[in-house]
Amino acid sequence: MKHRQKRYRSFLLGVVWCLAANIQLSGQLPVRPQYVYDLLSLSEHNPDCKQSQVSAANQSSVVFQPGSSAVRMVLPGYDDGVPFDQASYLVIDLIHHNPSSSILLLEFRRKGDEPDENNWIHSRINARIGVLPELRTQIIFPLSYLNAQEVFLPRFPRQLKGTVGGKRMSAKEIDEVYLRILHVDNANYPLSMEIAGIQLTSRLPDPLPHVEGGWVDSLGQWASKSWPGKISQTKDLQKEVEISHRKINRKPLSDNRSAFMGFRKLQFDSTGFFHLHHDDLRWWLVDPAGYAYLSVAPTGVGPYSHGPIETNPDLFSYLPPDTGYFKKAYAYRRDLKSISYLTLNLIRLYGENWERGWQNATQKLLKGLGFTGTGNWSDPLFYQNVSMPYVYPMRGFPSTKINLFRDFPDVFDPAYEKSCMHFATQLKTLANDQMMIGYFLGNEPHWAFGDFNLAREMLYKNQNSYTRNKLITWLNERYNGDIMLFSAAWEID
């Protein structure tokens, strides 16, 4: 501990405590940071950081240029005087000039955790947050998420999707915070990120200045970047689509396929529905006509691709009216008003009958490219109106008033059985649909992210539930109500 105190002595002398706030000209009280990291001291203690005099925020900053994605920028923790327990948000003001979006990885190390056999210090909680290029952004991490009860971060202004992993820890357990930069793909270009400020606040920070001229053009493209094939106006979009249609129409569909896209050269018993067959060597998926079927299907086939505009209105150079002609381009996603430029451009291309135009073109495209169906999360209107095999994603997974851990329901609640029965009724209308291969009960439940003992997590929350009471009853019966037998079996003093 002595070497750590010596290491951060100069850092602590540079700490800025904001104990009072000045009234702005508008008469509103600005957000008062509870703690501000001193960038000069950070650059001195992190060899991959260099101080810069001019930043996107017109103030001094540091540039973090790691030699690889494994290199970490280290921020001091609670025992070094950083009052994480008194704050609600960690806010990082940054910009990067990488060729494409990057990921900021925040790692919270817990006090007392030791390095592994490779001398690598693992984080207790980590957050991966997407960051757009060439756009000043405030990365906001709510410190309440240290409890590991949530997987997805709120969509704060300009932030891309953010996820949280790891196991719970308290704010006072934060020994250090690590910052890393990751590629979003397999690229190998040098990574860099300019940081204009790192602070702890009790409430959300004031918004950044608006982007002049917009960051997204009227077609939903990156406005300031150029690339071969970039569409400059709607009529060029129409030309590109016509060219694509001509290419698709030149590709004949295989005569070796059944009406359900099965292979006619290999036939088994016909049941009228998709089913399984074992030929004493391997299992086959068989189509309703009895032919061997190989599912080659893209997921998420649909005419929508929404992004939030409610928190980012200044990023868009043009937003059409949300009523009338372009109404279906808008929707609410996770309680945020969003727009789908894919839908917007389809309406521009096909007019009032844009859904039918998209369905016809997509069916030809899929079959022309050799796909044999559509995968999960595809648009229901597509597989209801197009003759291709599909899988059905069930909606509204059963829940209860109390969750045991994240979204894991109180499964012994009598109401849960009724909820399950109601959940199953949505399959009734599809029971005789020969094109349905099968169905998915749900997707990526939040409780399954990570390695957790669900019983332990339930007991940690210390709330009354049917499942908790069921566990108590089971333990009581197993050990005949003898606390000494229970303690001996579980090695509890």
Side-chain angles (χ1 to χ4, degrees):
M1 180 58 69
K2 288 184 178 180
H3 76 280
R4 285 176 57 85
Q5 292 174 343
K6 182 177 179 181
R7 176 185 175 190
Y8 291 115
R9 186 174 299 152
S10 62
F11 175 85
L12 293 172
L13 291 175
V15 169
V16 179
W17 282 92
C18 298
L19 300 177
N22 295 321
I23 301 298
Q24 295 178 329
L25 294 178
S26 62
Q28 294 182 347
L29 193 67
V31 173
R32 181 179 68 187
Q34 291 181 291
Y35 184 92
V36 179
Y37 280 94
D38 181 63
L39 296 181
L40 174 60
S41 182
L42 287 176
S43 65
E44 291 175 349
H45 290 96
N46 288 276
D48 292 278
C49 290
K50 297 180 181 179
Q51 191 175 19
S52 175
Q53 296 299 322
V54 181
S55 71
N58 294 320
Q59 61 192 56
S60 62
S61 64
V62 294
V63 178
F64 179 40
Q65 293 180 307
S68 72
S69 60
V71 175
R72 293 161 159 171
M73 178 178 175
V74 182
L75 308 182
Y78 179 80
D79 282 351
D80 293 300
V82 184
F84 282 100
D85 62 323
Q86 300 175 28
S88 299
Y89 301 96
L90 171 63
V91 182
I92 304 174
D93 188 343
L94 57 78
I95 188 172
H96 74 82
H97 307 287
N98 302 319
S100 61
S101 296
S102 298
I103 296 172
L104 178 67
L105 175 58
L106 294 175
E107 299 177 290
F108 295 85
R109 179 193 176 189
R110 187 177 65 166
K111 182 170 54 179
D113 288 350
E114 299 295 331
D116 62 15
E117 62 274 10
N118 299 315
N119 202 35
W120 181 258
I121 302 175
H122 294 275
S123 60
R124 180 72 176 182
I125 286 285
N126 64 80
R128 296 170 180 261
I129 305 171
V131 187
L132 291 165
E134 308 289 348
L135 180 66
R136 184 184 171 194
T137 304
Q138 291 182 130
I139 296 298
I140 302 172
F141 178 81
L143 295 174
S144 61
Y145 279 57
L146 292 172
N147 68 5
Q149 290 294 315
E150 302 287 344
V151 174
F152 295 103
L153 288 169
R155 292 298 293 268
F156 295 113
R158 303 188 188 181
Q159 283 187 198
L160 296 179
K161 184 178 180 179
T163 59
V164 179
K167 296 185 177 181
R168 77 170 64 85
M169 65 185 299
S170 71
K172 291 184 178 181
E173 290 181 303
I174 298 175
D175 191 47
E176 290 177 323
V177 181
Y178 304 136
L179 272 62
R180 291 166 58 192
I181 314 173
L182 309 178
H183 295 103
V184 295
D185 45 31
N186 296 321
N188 58 2
Y189 54 79
L191 292 166
S192 177
M193 192 165 285
E194 183 179 352
I195 300 174
I198 305 176
Q199 61 184 8
L200 300 178
T201 65
S202 60
R203 59 187 178 92
L204 291 174
D206 296 323
L208 294 173
H210 280 204
V211 175
E212 297 296 332
W215 199 86
V216 179
D217 69 15
S218 62
L219 294 169
Q221 304 169 113
W222 187 357
S224 62
K225 189 176 179 65
S226 299
W227 61 86
K230 182 179 182 180
I231 305 298
S232 59
Q233 48 189 334
T234 304
K235 66 178 182 180
D236 295 331
L237 180 65
Q238 182 66 51
K239 292 179 182 178
E240 289 295 324
V241 171
E242 290 174 356
I243 293 172
S244 298
H245 283 185
R246 287 197 293 269
K247 291 180 179 179
I248 294 170
N249 291 334
R250 286 202 301 266
K251 292 186 176 183
L253 298 178
S254 174
D255 293 332
N256 295 322
R257 300 293 184 104
S258 71
F260 303 97
M261 305 299 289
F263 293 95
R264 292 183 181 273
K265 293 183 179 181
L266 186 59
Q267 189 171 15
F268 304 102
D269 293 336
S270 172
T271 66
F273 295 95
F274 279 95
H275 60 281
L276 297 175
H277 175 83
H278 195 269
D279 63 358
D280 296 327
L281 182 63
R282 61 178 61 85
W283 285 99
W284 291 92
L285 181 58
V286 183
D287 77 9
Y291 297 103
Y293 177 81
L294 178 63
S295 178
V296 183
T299 62
V301 177
Y304 303 100
S305 181
H306 288 92
I309 59 175
E310 187 171 319
T311 55
N312 305 292
D314 60 309
L315 300 187
F316 301 90
S317 60
Y318 168 75
L319 289 172
D322 58 2
T323 58
Y325 200 59
F326 295 116
K327 181 179 180 179
K328 286 200 171 183
Y330 291 89
Y332 279 85
R333 295 289 185 269
R334 296 188 179 182
D335 298 325
L336 292 176
K337 187 176 182 179
S338 304
I339 188 171
S340 168
Y341 275 95
L342 170 59
T343 310
L344 183 62
N345 290 332
L346 287 171
I347 296 173
R348 288 165 170 163
L349 283 170
Y350 298 113
E352 293 183 358
N353 296 321
W354 68 272
E355 288 175 301
R356 174 56 66 181
W358 169 79
Q359 290 170 6
N360 292 338
T362 302
Q363 181 182 27
K364 291 179 180 179
L365 176 64
L366 293 177
K367 290 184 176 180
L369 293 175
F371 290 105
T372 62
T374 59
N376 203 18
W377 315 303
S378 294
D379 184 62
L381 288 178
F382 182 75
Y383 51 72
Q384 289 171 7
N385 292 291
V386 172
S387 182
M388 290 188 75
Y390 69 94
V391 292
Y392 175 70
M394 297 184 70
R395 312 290 181 182
F397 191 85
S399 61
T400 50
K401 291 181 179 180
I402 293 176
N403 287 330
L404 304 182
F405 171 64
R406 294 181 179 170
D407 57 355
F408 193 90
D410 188 0
V411 292
F412 285 96
D413 185 341
Y416 184 66
E417 182 177 356
K418 296 179 181 179
S419 180
C420 290
M421 296 300 293
H422 177 73
F423 177 63
T425 58
Q426 60 189 288
L427 295 173
K428 287 183 177 180
T429 58
L430 304 174
N432 296 316
D433 190 344
Q434 291 183 300
M435 285 294 178
M436 186 177 74
I437 301 172
Y439 54 88
F440 286 85
L441 293 174
N443 175 59
E444 297 180 349
H446 294 187
W447 59 264
F449 282 77
D451 182 17
F452 294 97
N453 182 314
L454 295 179
R456 178 179 295 174
E457 296 299 327
M458 173 188 69
L459 295 173
Y460 180 87
K461 291 184 72 172
N462 196 27
Q463 66 178 359
N464 188 35
S465 66
Y466 287 94
T467 305
R468 182 188 182 93
N469 293 334
K470 188 73 172 181
L471 176 61
I472 293 172
T473 301
W474 180 81
L475 290 172
N476 190 51
E477 293 174 351
R478 182 178 179 88
Y479 298 103
N480 299 317
D482 190 330
I483 190 64
M484 300 303 294
L485 285 176
F486 171 77
S487 299
W490 290 82
E491 298 180 357
I492 301 173
D493 294 333

